[in-house]
Amino acid sequence: MLTLVARAFNPCALSSLFSPVLGGSRVFFPPTTVLIGPSVLTGTRTVKKRTLSSKKAEKKGSGKKTVKLSQADLVAAREKAAQQKALKKKRKKGIQRRTKLSYRDQPTDVKIVEACRAAIAYSKTLCFVPSINMSLVLDLDPRHADQVIRGVAQLPNGTGKKSVSIAVFAKDPEYVKAVQEAGSDVRIGSDDLVAEILEGKIEYEKYLASPDMKTHIAKVARVLGPRGLMPNAKLGTLTEHLGTAIRDLRRGQATFKLTKHATINAPVGVASMTPQQLAENARAVLLAVQAQRPESVKRRLVLTAHLSSTMGPGFKLDLKDMGGEQGAKKLQL
């Protein structure tokens, strides 16, 4: 058997080499595969056939073993398989069993208490306590500056957090005294607090300021602004009544602002709260948004409302049930 070693393969060259052997006639070899000796040449690669040794073949064949089971062991194995199948089915449909309300077969509008109860039931499958949020779709145009609403809703049952770290920009003795009376754990500063923020030390969740500190806090506007921590008069964080603002923050507030998609997303609590408490907070947020209605808008403001938990499905809410009789008139339902 002839063996040929070549770096490149040309069918015409190979046929010319074998022409004396083949009686002078030119033979065409396929351009992709040429058989030469015991090897197969494909393109520019030489692929050799490999066979398993006897030891490897024995190891490969010894992977499967047949075990004879007694009748009792066979019954136990079948019961275990049935239990695993039932457990898998229970995990798949466990969320629907915990609540009567399923997000797939829910009605068009759900009462707020039922939606809160369902959101809490869905959150029990998580390894942490999720937050409950409400999303509103408004009939506003964000391109108009007078229709971009923002504000604060005072939650009657709080946000569910234990404490909120607060820092206050104040220099006047009257403002400093009011802050000290409101709480001893509140950080009070002026130029030193500004220097810390410029260095990148943002250690507080809320920042308040007195009106006489506007020129000082303007230096940190680029740092606190993108994080939503800049004191603002519309949000009640730039005010003369610092003591009242601190007490309101500790009781629980939800800030909201119209997005570019004409929606508002606001937290109403956490899953550890009761459905009644979450429902009261959701009503407070809805009425606070309604109170920010622009003067140029005479039509219905809130179109739809949805409630959802972190990593959970959303439930469309019944606006009439949320606002009550007086709220329904305000919502123009």
Side-chain angles (χ1 to χ4, degrees), residues 279-297:
E280 292 176 1
N281 289 349
R283 291 190 181 99
V285 172
L286 182 63
L287 295 179
V289 171
Q290 184 66 26
Q292 298 293 331
R293 173 193 290 271
E295 296 181 357
S296 59
V297 178

Side-chain angles (χ1 to χ4, degrees), residues 49-119:
K49 297 180 180 179
R50 295 182 179 180
T51 59
L52 292 175
S53 62
S54 60
K55 293 183 179 180
K56 291 184 179 180
E58 290 176 1
K59 290 182 179 179
K60 186 176 181 181
S62 62
K64 297 182 180 180
K65 296 182 179 180
T66 57
V67 180
K68 294 183 179 180
L69 297 176
S70 61
Q71 188 67 20
D73 295 339
L74 186 60
V75 173
R78 289 177 180 175
E79 290 180 355
K80 187 176 180 180
Q83 290 177 1
Q84 291 179 353
K85 186 176 180 181
L87 183 61
K88 186 177 180 180
K89 187 176 181 181
K90 184 178 180 181
R91 287 176 180 174
K92 187 176 181 181
K93 296 186 178 180
I95 297 176
Q96 285 81 358
R97 292 180 180 180
R98 292 188 182 95
T99 175
K100 296 181 180 179
L101 183 61
S102 174
Y103 71 96
R104 293 174 180 172
D105 301 328
Q106 64 168 319
T108 55
D109 296 331
V110 182
K111 292 185 178 181
I112 179 62
V113 178
E114 295 180 0
C116 294
R117 187 178 293 108

